[in-house]
Amino acid sequence: MSEKKSPRVLVLRTAGTNCDEETAFAFRSFGAKADLVHINRLFEGTARLSDYHILAIPGGFTYGDDIVSGRILANELRLRLGDDIQDFIKARKLIIGICNGFQALVRSGILPGDLGVKSQGEASFQQTVTLTYNESGKFEDRWTYLRLSGKSVWTKGLEDVIYIPVAHAEGKFVPRDDKLLNKLKKNGQVAFRYCDEQGNPAAYPGNPNGSIDDIAGITDKTGRVLGLMPHPERHFIFEHHPRWTRFEKKESFGQGAQIFKNGVQYVKEKLLA
Amino acid sequence: MIWRVEIKEKEGVFDALGERIKKDIIDLGLTSVSQVHIVYVYTIVGDISESQIKQIGRELLADSVTQEYTCFSPEAYIFPLSKKNIKIVEIAHNPGVMDPVEESTIKGIRDLGIPTVKAVRTAKQYHLKGPISDEDLEFVVQKALANKLIHHVVIPENVFPTEKEIVANGQACKVLTFDLLEADQKRLTQISEDGQLFLNLNEMKAIQKYFRKLKRNPTDCELEAIAQTWSEHCYHKTFRGNIRYSCTEKGQTKTKNIRNLLKSTIVKVTQTLDKPWCVSVFHDNAGVIKFDKDTNVCFKVETHNHPSALEPFGGANTGIGGVIRDILGTGLGAKPVCNTDVFCFAPPEYSFKDLPTGTLHPKRVMKGVVSGVRDYGNKMGIPTVNGAVLFDERFVGNPLVYCGTVGVIPAGKEKKKVRKGDVIVVAGGKTGRDGIHGATFSSGELTSESEVVSSGAVQIGDPIQEKKVLDVLLEARDQGMYSAITDCGAGGLSSAVGEMGEELGARVDLEKVPLKYQGLNYDEIWISESQERMVMSASKKNAEKLLALFEQENVEATVIGEFTGSKRLELFYHGEQVCDLEMSFMHDGIPNITKEARWAPPKSREPEISCPKDLTSNLLSVLSHYNVCSKEWIIRQYDHEVQGGSIIKPLVGVDNDGPSDASVVLPKLGTKKGIAISNGVNVRYGMIDPFWMAASCIDEAIRQIVAVGGNPDRIALLDNFCWGNPDKPDRLGGLVRCAQGCHDFALGYGTPFISGKDSLYNEYAEDGKSIAIPSTILISAIGIMDDVTKSVTMDFKKAGNLIYVVGQTYDELGGSIYYDTKDALGMQVPHVDVKQGRKTFQALFAATQKGLARSIHDCSEGGIAVALAEMAFSGGLGVTALLKDVPYEGKNKRNDSVLFSESNSRFVVEVAPEKQKQFEKLLSEVPYGVIGRVEESPEFVIYGLDDKVCVNAYIDDLKKAWQKPLQF
């Protein structure tokens, strides 16, 4: 495949981003060309979002999670790159935000996006849900089972229950109100819920942060913009599984890999074909 | 204009952070607190309108879903008063203390299109509900909410500081020289003490002699620079000096003179072994070994004990930040790939009334240290994959905080060279009054006055600043923009520039160093230990490009001087020369001293304990011992999976909660070659004999790597001594003995030392009485693994598999956990037989490479009993085992000695019955026994030497006993 025909992924970096390399590695493993791009390059115009098919906002502690997690990056996305991101979404391109990336997408209002429930005078990017402090009051790194729902291009072909780790202090999903939550559910915008091994609702630590309705990840209405707190790039190879030494049968990929494969596949089929 | 914006959770929103504070307060024994709410306060200075401040509140400071904001001008604000059932207290950072949130908030405000913001201050207001007296409140503030070294309680009149107070905080500069030429002995000592130089009389005399030759008095800056260079922390006087060592064994005393303890023990091992894969050892910030054909790995462990004693969060925070910078400054800069942390504290239930004056409670120290490491490690995006925590009462005034980092560096980039005419570039954080005298402060004992006298030595880190530096640095390295680099650690610029310019000499214009605030004296600029700074040497041609590259990612980088070729250290401040010293005097002028050292075995005996018929409750007590019990509460707060290279995690097993031996990490994604990281540390053995402590720690670090499938022939070690005052002969005697142990056993195992560190003067003095810490050696090990997919974990895998004990058990309960649960120490400390140990390690390595072992766990604290119990409950499977089949040697053979003896070089191994023959073939030269079987039923049953059941428990109960003690 020629360079030109490769799906191109922009892995966004700024001060405090730290899951950029493994996220890029995950996309590259399925044939994408992934660039680590500092946000300053987008501001100056030496890199352009429109040259890419996928925008990935990886995990980390952008700007130290100062004030609240993802807030300063969210304002940069909203105020300085808002139009470019609108155009990117309109062009049917893909966005994924993982952990801190999800926090930024939510605080900028890119997720869950315009639900047609905004009050008069509200800007198109308006925060309607949040990811707030874990009920445990502390950062925790632990593995969680996730039950799949919705119909996002990102989650096609995933098993009903997948096993992926979280590592955050601010991951408790809270919607503005019940009306909004119902709208999300009705639209099929809930992508992942924390659950137990069998897929049933689970209390702490199954739901590691106290998220309302056990929500771990959501999409916009189109399913092309996905945000999730768990880290699929950390269950990318088989040996990432915390119990891989207990399994007799070895596989090459972990249960998070399909998400990256889906993104690359979508670009190949829908945007490059 | 000055505004105050208050942020709080909306009515009905769960205040998770408030709840956590409540838990901390209840932990202090104050159960009357029913609820805690936190109000986040931002004081914002600048030409900002009311509508703008509201925009700041709405779009930046408050989360619109869960929080609300209120803006106040000074006229409109009334400080809320405490009422009967609600106490209110506001806590803010002291001026000059690092608060990264302030800088981020300024950026956030500017991003909103409001460039007129000048300064931001943050504070937290706590609302405590419940019947709390004023005395209770004072207690809570002191013990849980604030540390007076970095915080103060805001009084209502000072809620709005003046703009001047916020924007500028410094004093005017003054120039000083010391009259050294005419000083008598008393005066010399006084100058050293007054200046917190920690130079002894001999050293002061050497300095006096030097300046008499120059026929002038030194400036304050010159004295500071010499004190820093000659400090124990930077020069390692004890290890490099002469020692007269007398050792009493079996009634005979032998005396010998040791010249340079470091060279004659630690370094000698490496020179003798001369491994071709040792790339760069002992002379750089970290030791470097070969990884694969185009990559090397480096490893360094540092200590940050004294700062952590005074401000646990900040001390540990800057400890980990500092060792990461060591890695960034190794060769031309390495990329950190994982961290390891080992702590020693006093027990968490230590009574408040017994606390020595001026010390913090161990539980608070522990929580603070863990938070400090979490904050820095997680924010840097470096997984913390390994560690240990030990407890002993004598760590009460002086905890130990070891922080280590592993890095990867392209082959060939481990060499650096400073060239004549290169400019000196400092990049990263600005310089403030932080950590003045840190290097000299850590070279003396702590006292109850340390918190007053040395408060400048306390700092808070800014991990995002360091992450920004790291990101650019690796890019600049790959583009070849600089030819040498080092970090600013202890001693600040003085140490960094002094070391880099040792051969050539350097000139620095101190006014060019970017400052956090005006008013620093030139000598403060020179020795400040402000964090997150790196120093580089670049050609004039490259310097401009280098500065531009840093600027691209908003990192400040500045040319501050030049490496001259004059072989002098020349410092200027606004054109006036403030320091002119010969580099040779700085680095070689220190007078050689001879210290006295004495060692004799302690007067301890084997305790007379009868062996109970049923040892179940003994096993439960050993599992609940603080040193043995689960550290999950700590481990989960660390991100141990970032960077995507986590192969064997610190927690393993069917419920992801069993204690892994070594951790295995893939430094290069998409490959199979990995590294294993482990540590060996045991202070109780050192109380009997530091020689055998060293032996056991080396054995433990190696066998943990072997237990996960590592190759015993590709292991490198780091030594890390934390000791009491080396000027006291008994302390130094133990140190010598420990260093000799390091030499003998590292040599015996063929494992070279590649780097090390010593932290001495770990004592806490009160009322003229000095408490020394238990002498501690930490051995950290790094192993190279060719194929990580052959790794083995410690959890039992399958019912019906055979259980082996590999390696000989001896009657060695001295220093054991079993004895400690009976308040005894004993004398029969575990020894090491390297010949036998090597054979065992080789056999097990072969077994893992052939896929013959389903699980392996090393026997360490708690012996075979703890190893078996941990393997059982981690695997969710039961055990039947017979003690009579354990290979044992010793006159005294009893159920308790077989179960709990802590003999070295032993493993418990699980093998499938169909692999039995193949496995035993590998053990032809190694003592072993098939002692039992893994069972489906969750029962843990051990038959004693008389074939009667001596331990009978459910694995869940064993697990509970093991998990409970440190589940905060």
Side-chain angles (χ1 to χ4, degrees):
Chain A
M1 193 185 294
S2 76
E3 170 93 340
K4 230 177 170 179
K5 278 279 186 180
S6 293
R8 296 194 65 187
V9 183
L10 187 153
V11 179
L12 188 65
R13 289 172 52 219
T14 186
T17 302
N18 66 31
C19 301
D20 43 340
E21 290 195 24
E22 55 269 41
T23 303
F25 173 78
F27 280 111
R28 284 175 195 146
S29 298
F30 295 109
K33 186 179 179 302
D35 296 334
L36 307 179
V37 178
H38 195 281
I39 199 165
N40 283 356
R41 306 292 84 73
L42 293 176
F43 295 158
E44 336 160 318
T46 45
R48 286 187 319 202
L49 193 54
S50 57
D51 290 340
Y52 293 86
H53 305 107
I54 297 176
L55 167 64
I57 312 178
F61 289 81
T62 50
Y63 306 101
D65 275 3
D66 297 339
I67 306 174
V68 287
S69 60
R71 160 66 75 206
I72 291 174
L73 175 59
N75 279 356
E76 290 184 322
L77 295 175
R78 187 170 64 91
L79 299 168
R80 300 188 66 176
L81 300 171
D83 291 343
D84 292 345
I85 291 173
Q86 292 277 23
D87 292 345
F88 195 80
I89 295 170
K90 273 189 209 135
R92 306 178 68 80
K93 291 177 173 180
L94 302 183
I95 299 179
I96 186 169
I98 300 167
C99 197
N100 193 240
F102 184 27
Q103 291 162 339
L105 287 176
V106 152
R107 298 201 198 287
S108 62
I110 296 170
L111 278 178
D114 183 359
L115 300 176
V117 291
K118 67 179 174 190
S119 26
Q120 224 180 358
E122 277 184 4
S124 55
F125 282 152
Q126 175 79 23
Q127 183 179 347
T128 54
V129 303
T130 195
L131 295 157
T132 187
Y133 299 101
N134 297 350
E135 286 193 351
S136 67
K138 58 180 191 256
F139 181 101
E140 286 186 79
D141 177 333
R142 56 170 75 248
W143 281 68
T144 56
Y145 291 98
L146 303 175
R147 192 172 72 251
L148 184 66
S149 72
K151 47 182 182 355
S152 165
V153 295
W154 285 104
T155 57
K156 261 173 43 185
L158 280 180
E159 293 182 37
D160 287 346
V161 174
I162 60 170
Y163 196 42
I164 289 180
V166 294
H168 60 247
E170 297 173 53
K172 177 185 174 183
F173 181 87
V174 181
R176 187 169 63 189
D177 50 37
D178 287 347
K179 198 171 129 199
L180 195 118
L181 178 63
N182 288 332
K183 192 97 185 173
L184 286 180
K185 291 202 258 191
K186 207 174 122 220
N187 288 349
Q189 286 182 246
V190 176
F192 295 107
R193 283 190 176 83
Y194 300 110
C195 61
D196 68 13
E197 198 168 354
Q198 283 73 42
N200 302 311
Y204 178 83
N207 174 343
N209 47 37
S211 285
I212 303 296
D213 202 31
D214 300 328
I215 290 173
I218 59 171
T219 66
D220 71 342
K221 271 193 293 192
T222 69
R224 292 193 294 267
V225 182
L226 169 69
L228 72 170
M229 286 313 295
H231 286 271
E233 80 283 9
R234 294 188 188 181
H235 193 184
F236 189 77
I237 57 172
F238 172 77
E239 289 84 5
H240 278 151
H241 193 296
R243 299 191 291 276
W244 70 269
T245 57
R246 301 185 69 80
F247 304 141
E248 307 268 337
K249 198 176 140 229
K250 311 234 154 157
E251 292 169 36
S252 47
F253 285 108
Q255 292 172 351
Q258 183 71 28
I259 292 175
F260 301 96
K261 190 176 177 185
N262 282 337
V264 176
Q265 203 60 31
Y266 169 90
V267 174
K268 283 182 185 163
E269 285 168 13
K270 303 284 161 117
L271 302 178
L272 291 175
Chain B
M1 191 65 207
I2 185 161
W3 293 96
R4 177 183 169 96
V5 184
E6 293 187 355
I7 310 292
K8 63 178 182 189
E9 306 302 309
K10 287 179 180 170
E11 198 64 40
V13 170
F14 179 75
D15 187 346
L17 301 187
E19 276 299 302
R20 199 175 72 177
I21 300 282
K22 185 180 116 185
K23 227 180 135 215
D24 286 346
I25 294 172
I26 290 174
D27 259 3
L28 294 172
L30 202 71
T31 47
S32 53
V33 178
S34 60
Q35 207 172 35
V36 177
H37 280 306
I38 306 175
V39 176
Y40 301 89
V41 180
Y42 296 85
T43 303
I44 297 169
V45 182
D47 193 6
I48 293 166
S49 70
E50 188 169 351
S51 70
Q52 284 175 322
I53 198 73
K54 283 187 173 159
Q55 187 195 356
I56 291 168
R58 187 175 64 242
E59 295 187 24
L60 181 68
L61 301 180
D63 181 314
S64 64
V65 176
T66 53
Q67 295 177 321
E68 57 195 24
Y69 68 93
T70 325
C71 308
F72 300 95
S73 64
E75 303 79 50
Y77 185 71
I78 301 166
F79 196 85
L81 292 176
S82 291
K83 283 172 262 174
K84 188 166 170 255
N85 242 343
I86 184 158
K87 286 276 182 283
I88 297 171
V89 62
E90 187 167 313
I91 307 230
H93 281 114
N94 292 338
V97 171
M98 161 65 69
D99 179 9
V101 181
E102 295 176 355
E103 205 184 314
S104 295
T105 307
I106 292 174
K107 174 186 160 42
I109 293 172
R110 293 198 172 130
D111 285 348
L112 293 175
I114 305 168
T116 46
V117 59
K118 274 199 215 153
V120 172
R121 277 294 177 79
T122 66
K124 281 183 188 146
Q125 197 178 70
Y126 297 91
H127 294 234
L128 313 174
K129 277 193 192 161
I132 304 158
S133 68
D134 287 345
E135 294 78 55
D136 288 346
L137 181 66
E138 173 67 29
F139 180 71
V140 168
V141 167
Q142 273 185 28
K143 302 293 175 198
L145 303 180
N147 181 339
K148 62 186 172 188
L149 298 181
I150 55 166
H151 298 120
H152 62 276
V153 173
V154 178
I155 52 171
E157 301 79 70
N158 281 0
V159 164
F160 289 91
T162 63
E163 195 170 318
K164 211 175 134 209
E165 279 172 330
I166 290 195
V167 177
N169 43 18
Q171 303 154 358
C173 174
K174 45 188 192 300
V175 185
L176 271 178
T177 57
F178 283 95
D179 188 6
L180 211 62
L181 300 186
E182 302 302 324
D184 58 11
Q185 293 202 1
K186 207 174 131 203
R187 178 70 193 136
L188 286 176
T189 310
Q190 198 188 353
I191 291 173
S192 172
E193 272 174 19
D194 291 352
Q196 288 188 58
L197 302 174
F198 291 93
L199 290 166
N200 65 33
L201 184 60
N202 269 338
E203 290 159 352
M204 286 302 287
K205 279 183 178 166
I207 297 168
Q208 188 179 44
K209 197 174 148 202
Y210 178 74
F211 281 95
R212 280 182 174 156
K213 200 180 73 194
L214 298 183
K215 299 197 175 78
R216 68 173 176 88
N217 272 312
T219 66
D220 46 356
C221 195
E222 287 172 328
L223 272 188
E224 296 274 14
I226 296 167
Q228 174 275 311
T229 312
W230 291 5
S231 67
E232 181 65 58
H233 191 105
C234 296
Y235 196 84
H236 308 283
K237 290 183 258 201
T238 303
F239 264 92
R240 289 163 65 170
N242 298 328
I243 296 172
R244 218 178 116 76
Y245 172 62
S246 74
C247 167
T248 307
E249 262 180 313
K250 293 170 191 146
Q252 280 202 320
T253 302
K254 283 183 199 157
T255 304
K256 69 171 179 174
N257 291 317
I258 299 168
R259 281 186 64 185
N260 198 323
L261 184 60
L262 187 67
K263 275 200 178 146
S264 60
T265 57
I266 307 287
V267 176
K268 198 170 154 200
V269 174
T270 311
Q271 284 170 343
T272 311
L273 291 172
D274 195 23
K275 296 279 183 190
W277 43 266
C278 284
V279 176
S280 163
V281 287
F282 290 113
H283 63 80
D284 203 344
N285 285 353
V288 185
I289 59 171
K290 196 170 154 63
F291 178 69
D292 62 18
K293 73 177 194 321
D294 42 39
T295 314
N296 295 326
V297 293
C298 54
F299 191 13
K300 171 77 175 185
V301 177
E302 268 284 355
T303 52
H304 225 216
N305 307 332
H306 285 190
S308 304
L310 298 181
E311 210 314 283
F313 177 92
N317 198 242
T318 52
I320 189 79
V323 76
I324 294 168
R325 279 197 306 285
D326 273 329
I327 295 301
L328 301 187
T330 296
L332 289 171
K335 178 193 169 207
V337 293
C338 63
N339 290 337
T340 164
D341 299 282
V342 174
F343 312 134
C344 300
F345 304 119
E349 76 280 358
Y350 206 97
S351 93
F352 275 98
K353 71 176 188 348
D354 294 341
L355 273 185
T357 325
T359 61
L360 299 170
H361 190 268
K363 199 160 179 181
R364 183 172 186 197
V365 173
M366 177 170 166
K367 284 184 177 182
V369 164
V370 170
S371 293
V373 168
R374 171 202 29 88
D375 181 73
Y376 216 105
N378 290 0
K379 285 182 176 171
M380 281 295 290
I382 303 168
T384 298
V385 300
N386 171 271
V389 191
L390 289 86
F391 296 87
D392 186 276
E393 302 229 330
R394 282 179 288 157
F395 290 116
V396 67
N398 195 134
L400 300 185
V401 174
Y402 293 98
C403 301
T405 302
V406 177
V408 295
I409 182 166
K413 297 279 186 191
E414 66 279 351
K415 295 192 195 88
K416 50 181 147 199
K417 188 157 178 61
V418 177
R419 291 166 306 205
K420 188 178 158 185
D422 277 4
V423 296
I424 305 170
V425 177
V426 60
K430 290 180 196 288
T431 298
R433 207 167 263 132
D434 324 64
I436 301 277
H437 290 137
T440 50
F441 157 65
S442 65
S443 307
E445 289 183 23
L446 283 173
T447 70
S448 55
E449 271 134 41
S450 294
E451 59 172 4
V452 185
V453 179
S454 307
S455 62
V458 171
Q459 301 192 59
I460 307 288
D462 180 1
I464 300 304
Q465 176 69 257
E466 191 149 306
K467 178 70 166 81
K468 279 160 54 176
V469 172
L470 159 67
D471 290 348
V472 183
L473 209 61
L474 297 182
E475 180 65 34
R477 174 197 71 189
D478 293 342
Q479 293 188 28
M481 285 187 184
Y482 56 84
S483 65
I485 183 167
T486 198
D487 65 304
C488 276
L493 289 171
S494 176
S495 170
V497 176
E499 274 174 35
M500 287 174 85
E502 188 176 343
E503 309 277 318
L504 288 170
R507 177 205 155 100
V508 174
D509 297 308
L510 290 167
E511 74 281 0
K512 290 185 178 158
V513 176
L515 300 183
K516 288 183 182 171
Y517 33 76
Q518 291 311 305
L520 260 73
N521 258 340
Y522 54 81
D523 62 322
E524 292 179 311
I525 297 173
W526 188 237
I527 61 162
S528 157
E529 297 184 4
S530 286
Q531 301 289 307
E532 289 92 27
R533 298 176 303 163
M534 300 295 294
V535 177
M536 281 154 279
S537 159
S539 69
K540 289 190 177 107
K541 195 175 99 233
N542 279 336
E544 218 165 292
K545 281 187 270 177
L546 181 63
L547 300 193
L549 197 67
F550 275 106
E551 197 186 343
Q552 282 200 354
E553 301 202 1
N554 313 103
V555 180
E556 190 162 6
T558 316
V559 173
I560 60 164
E562 191 177 316
F563 293 108
T564 52
S566 70
K567 298 189 176 173
R568 306 182 75 79
L569 178 66
E570 298 165 282
L571 304 179
F572 292 83
Y573 188 63
H574 291 296
E576 190 180 341
Q577 185 150 21
V578 294
C579 172
D580 184 14
L581 292 171
E582 286 161 282
M583 282 292 186
S584 58
F585 176 69
M586 300 264 299
H587 291 279
D588 305 316
I590 185 168
N592 226 333
I593 39 152
T594 298
K595 291 190 181 185
E596 294 291 328
R598 266 198 314 270
W599 194 83
K603 292 189 179 72
S604 176
R605 292 192 319 184
E606 285 312 296
E608 282 170 26
I609 298 168
S610 60
C611 181
K613 281 208 172 75
D614 185 350
L615 286 160
T616 308
S617 66
N618 299 81
L619 174 57
L620 291 170
S621 315
V622 169
L623 286 168
S624 290
H625 191 284
Y626 281 126
N627 289 9
V628 175
C629 74
S630 171
K631 311 297 185 297
E632 182 172 359
W633 174 79
I634 298 172
I635 297 167
R636 293 236 173 270
Q637 294 189 59
Y638 299 151
D639 190 336
H640 48 261
E641 294 171 298
V642 61
Q643 296 194 15
S646 167
I647 300 297
I648 300 297
K649 301 177 205 303
L651 295 167
V652 297
V654 70
D655 292 322
N656 304 343
D657 56 7
S660 175
D661 287 322
S663 279
V664 178
V665 172
L666 266 186
K668 290 164 102 176
L669 300 180
T671 64
K672 285 187 169 179
K673 195 152 185 164
I675 51 177
I677 301 293
S678 70
N679 68 75
V681 55
N682 191 315
V683 299
R684 292 180 50 76
Y685 300 161
M687 296 171 195
I688 302 173
D689 190 340
F691 179 82
W692 292 112
M693 167 167 73
S696 290
C697 293
I698 289 172
D699 195 272
E700 182 182 13
I702 297 172
R703 69 181 184 252
Q704 289 192 0
I705 288 183
V706 171
V708 298
N711 181 351
D713 288 332
R714 281 302 309 275
I715 295 174
L717 305 178
L718 308 186
D719 61 284
N720 227 304
F721 296 82
C722 281
W723 232 259
N725 186 342
D727 304 331
K728 301 177 183 171
D730 62 325
R731 322 288 207 245
L732 187 57
L735 184 72
V736 170
R737 209 166 153 79
C738 186
Q740 289 172 336
C742 286
H743 170 267
D744 292 3
F745 296 94
L747 190 66
Y749 278 134
T751 47
F753 287 103
I754 55 168
S755 179
K757 172 76 202 294
D758 57 279
S759 164
L760 311 177
Y761 299 95
N762 286 289
E763 306 213 5
Y764 186 86
E766 189 194 24
D767 306 330
K769 246 178 61 194
S770 193
I771 317 173
I773 59 155
S775 308
T776 308
I777 176 90
L778 169 67
I779 299 291
S780 310
I782 180 167
I784 308 293
M785 295 173 74
D786 281 337
D787 183 355
V788 296
T789 66
K790 290 183 173 155
S791 300
V792 179
T793 54
M794 51 69 68
D795 44 312
F796 278 144
K797 303 296 188 304
K798 200 175 160 193
N801 282 348
L802 305 172
I803 301 172
Y804 285 77
V805 167
V806 179
Q808 192 84 341
T809 302
Y810 301 90
D811 182 13
E812 291 178 322
L813 280 169
S816 67
I817 298 293
Y818 176 67
Y819 272 3
D820 198 32
T821 62
K822 299 183 177 302
D823 286 323
L825 182 64
M827 273 306 278
Q828 304 215 32
V829 68
H831 286 201
V832 172
D833 175 348
V834 285
K835 226 170 123 193
Q836 200 48 252
R838 275 185 92 134
K839 283 180 190 161
T840 306
F841 298 157
Q842 291 295 352
L844 278 189
F845 174 59
T848 54
Q849 298 313 294
K850 292 188 166 127
L852 302 179
R854 285 296 278 137
S855 64
I856 304 179
H857 197 16
D858 84 307
C859 298
S860 52
E861 289 173 301
I864 292 173
V866 164
L868 275 175
E870 288 176 343
M871 293 173 89
F873 63 65
S874 301
L877 294 164
V879 165
T880 308
L882 284 77
L883 292 188
K884 68 171 183 201
D885 293 330
V886 173
Y888 189 94
E889 200 180 311
K891 284 202 300 264
N892 183 22
K893 186 174 184 182
R894 315 193 317 192
N895 287 343
D896 57 354
S897 61
V898 180
L899 271 175
F900 297 113
S901 165
E902 298 181 5
S903 297
N904 284 297
S905 319
R906 294 179 307 155
F907 301 84
V908 177
V909 185
E910 176 193 4
V911 177
E914 65 271 21
K915 303 275 168 73
Q916 177 169 17
K917 261 199 189 143
Q918 262 181 292
F919 181 64
E920 289 180 9
K921 224 169 121 185
L922 298 173
L923 299 179
S924 59
E925 290 185 73
V926 178
Y928 72 91
V930 185
I931 65 154
R933 197 172 56 196
V934 180
E935 304 282 1
E936 193 65 53
S937 142
E939 285 164 289
F940 188 86
V941 183
I942 306 229
Y943 292 87
L945 297 166
D946 55 0
D947 278 341
K948 288 185 184 142
V949 172
C950 67
V951 177
N952 190 357
Y954 286 107
I955 54 171
D956 278 358
D957 293 330
L958 297 176
K959 189 169 180 176
K960 267 184 218 143
W962 179 74
Q963 286 186 326
K964 207 171 157 239
L966 291 179
Q967 215 168 39
F968 293 163

